[in-house]
Amino acid sequence: MRVTFPHMGNLWLGLKTALQELGHEVIVPPKPSKRTLTLGSQRSPEFACLPLKINLGCFLEALEAGADTIIMAGGVGPCRFGYYGAVQKRILEDLGYNVRFIIFDPPQGRWREFLNDLRRVGNGKPLYKIFSALLFGIRKLEIMDYLEKIGHKIKAREVNKGETTHILEKTLHKLDDASSYREIRRIRKEALEELLSVQRKKIDPLRVAITGEIFVVLEPFVNMDVENELGKMDVEVERALYITDWVKEHLIPSIQGIRKHHLLEKMSKPYLGHFVGGDGQLSVASAVIYAKRKFHGMVHLMPFTCMPEIIAQSILPRVSKDLSFPVLTLVFDEHTGKAGVLTRLEAFVDLLQRRRVVEVH
Amino acid sequence: MKVGIPRGLLFYHYYPMWKVFLEGIGAEVITSPPTSKEILNLGTKSSHDDVCLPVKIFFGHTVYLAGRKVDFLFIPRVVAVEKEAYTCPKFLGLPDVVRNTLENLPPLIDATVNVKRKDKSPLKAALEIGKQLGAPVSRIKSAYREACENHWNYRNLMLKGFTPDEAIDILFKERGWEKKEGGRDIKIGVIGHPYNVYDRFPTLDLLGKLEELGVEVVTGEMIRQEDIEHHAQFLPKRLFWSYERDIVGAAFYLIHKRKVDGIINVVSFECGPDSLITELLQSEARRNDNFPMMVITLDEHTGEAGLQTRVEAFVDMLRRRK
């Protein structure tokens, strides 16, 4: 069984680790590129949202590389993502591929089906082995998330732009090779030291939050590397979403996840009184939260035709007006150009700087 | 007390039920006129660019009613109408989107209906609405019962082959309708959301055009729920949107049983669920000896001549195949 899975930011690091621990041969699809996008959008339904197209592109590239089994997350709605697997399977079948799909639906009360799927992936290993493999994968992701959070602060202040990104990339690959908890602890320590020794300017940067649909937020190829571009403009970024948050909310029920859910509900209540699937409620809630935390602005990222985010997008102008909190919504699809995104980001940052100057006087 | 019901989205599913209920608890029901250029313009101007056409039209109707001095706008939040599925995410956030986008609105009646939760059952929603309008509980309950009964009458009329407009006329104007018979050599299934299929303006009167061409039309609402349920099970995974599941079930039924000569699938631009189910329908049609199927995508720029040509060509092709 040669296993593959779709890309979403650093997700591959955790999944690859866990699957290799279980003794699978893992084929990580090439990083999403122009080619992935072209392959994917050629064969996807025209109005499907961008993540589906990139996913499909990843699968096609992985199949070229010899994969025969695809692991995919599912869902029970109402976001379209939950039905991706079923549609993608059908598309690949119609294209003549003979491929096995293992689709993980979030447990949400259907534990038996979930455990069944888990055993299939488990490769005959006992359940505790599967969990320990998963936990090891998640641990690596947690470290990466932690380092990235620190990286955001440093990127805004670093003298030689790009240094932090370089360290993070390097660490990512070191973590990929690591095979014990001791090793990853050492890598974390080293990376931290390296990050803290980056030469920094003494400035008080603008603080901008990034929120929106998780795939677009996490995948730099899709969002035109918004985080780093903002970093280059000396802006400190904070993301509302990290990959481990998603894992904790959907795969492993945790107090942290529940608490976060309640917070989101409370914060978005005055504007959006019900969950709308995907990350729609989060986007509205994060505007309220970051406005309270005195951030200077927020960038809201979404794929074209994304249903939950369209709802958020329709509501955000009101939140922005009420709280006097600038929000920039960027919509991404296969035709998005980097120059357009950059121009809008620059204009947004200019606006935030002006606002700050006016406030001071 | 005047309550306005915008003529859009779930209007086509539930209007008779809503009307009977609201009148039963002593409200006067006002609806907006059928969609027109004016209403569409009101909608496109007031809504966000990225929402789908049916929501834009709904906004148009809402703005129209808000300008007609109604005391309340009836925009319930319909979250789930069956245990295992939701409705479209746009319905989940509809009252909030309306409230936060439009200015100077009358108060909304936005009770939540979610049959997955006991405290959000349709009856609970009815009680909440009744309370909001100040009606006594006994009256609310009797109005609710009557409304449910009316809903089934409405569904039965549509099963017999009447369009929602005709069925509403029969129910409330007590007008008899003769079904036109004879001279129809081919049958076409027109499949899609009722708010797309039956709204004459955005579809440029597709149903009327087919009638003129001598085609017998079958829509999803004319198919028995058992058949729909049965054929929806052929999906690779249970679809978690109720209305879309009905569409797929209806189309699969028509394809598998060869009940019609061809299918026209009406979808709106930027419709999220449609983007996936259209793919499934097309794939299913291909797998059933290339069953004839045409997809018509509607948006606010749909042109009459283009649509007419495509429909005529499709009908001609079906006649040739016979």
Side-chain angles (χ1 to χ4, degrees), chain A residues 43-49 52 74-84 86-87 89-91 93-94 103 105 108 110 269-277 302 304-308 310-315 317-318 321 331, chain B residues 48 50-52 77 79 84-94 96-97 99-103 112 114 116-117 234-241 252 267-273 275-277 279-280 283-287 297:
Chain A
R43 283 148 178 100
S44 301
E46 189 181 356
F47 295 114
C49 38
L52 184 139
V76 287
C79 165
R80 250 179 292 185
F81 177 75
Y83 218 74
Y84 271 18
V87 170
K89 183 170 180 230
R90 195 129 183 166
I91 293 174
E93 273 170 19
D94 284 354
I103 301 172
D105 285 310
Q108 298 194 340
R110 300 177 174 198
K269 187 101 198 167
Y271 300 99
L272 179 56
H274 200 278
F275 87 101
V276 290
M302 62 180 268
F304 182 57
T305 80
C306 173
M307 300 181 282
I310 286 176
I311 295 173
Q313 185 196 17
S314 310
I315 292 173
R318 173 66 58 96
K321 202 171 146 198
V331 186
Chain B
H48 213 278
D50 275 337
V51 299
C52 55
R77 192 197 303 275
V79 175
E84 303 222 0
Y86 292 98
T87 60
C88 172
K90 303 247 168 85
F91 297 155
L92 269 57
L94 191 61
D96 296 307
V97 174
R99 197 180 290 123
N100 287 307
T101 314
L102 303 175
E103 306 279 343
T112 301
N114 181 354
K116 290 175 185 229
R117 287 174 52 176
F234 290 104
L235 277 171
K237 169 184 173 179
R238 200 190 150 86
L239 200 57
F240 44 67
W241 301 299
F252 277 20
V267 302
S268 41
F269 180 69
E270 276 223 55
C271 173
S275 71
L276 295 190
I277 64 172
E279 180 70 24
L280 294 170
S283 159
E284 191 70 17
R286 270 198 303 275
R287 289 177 184 196
T297 308

Side-chain angles (χ1 to χ4, degrees), chain B residues 104-125:
Chain B
N104 304 324
L105 282 182
L108 302 189
I109 298 179
D110 63 346
T112 301
V113 177
N114 181 354
V115 299
K116 290 175 185 229
R117 287 174 52 176
K118 282 213 178 81
D119 59 332
K120 301 280 181 200
S121 69
L123 179 61
K124 288 271 161 63

Side-chain angles (χ1 to χ4, degrees), chain A residues 123-163:
Chain A
N123 212 6
K125 296 243 168 30
L127 217 53
Y128 80 92
K129 274 255 166 78
I130 304 176
F131 276 113
S132 78
L134 260 179
L135 284 180
F136 188 47
I138 292 172
R139 186 68 202 135
K140 282 189 181 177
L141 289 178
E142 272 175 346
I143 292 179
M144 217 41 227
D145 279 355
Y146 172 74
L147 294 174
E148 277 188 357
K149 275 179 203 171
I150 294 172
H152 291 323
K153 291 196 189 297
I154 298 174
K155 272 177 199 169
R157 296 170 172 89
E158 65 189 357
V159 177
N160 304 315
K161 291 290 173 194
E163 211 177 329

Side-chain angles (χ1 to χ4, degrees), chain A residues 347-360:
Chain A
F348 187 63
V349 171
D350 280 352
L351 174 137
L352 297 183
Q353 251 146 8
R354 270 252 180 89
R355 271 173 60 102
R356 183 142 85 156
V357 172
V358 173
E359 261 167 40
V360 169

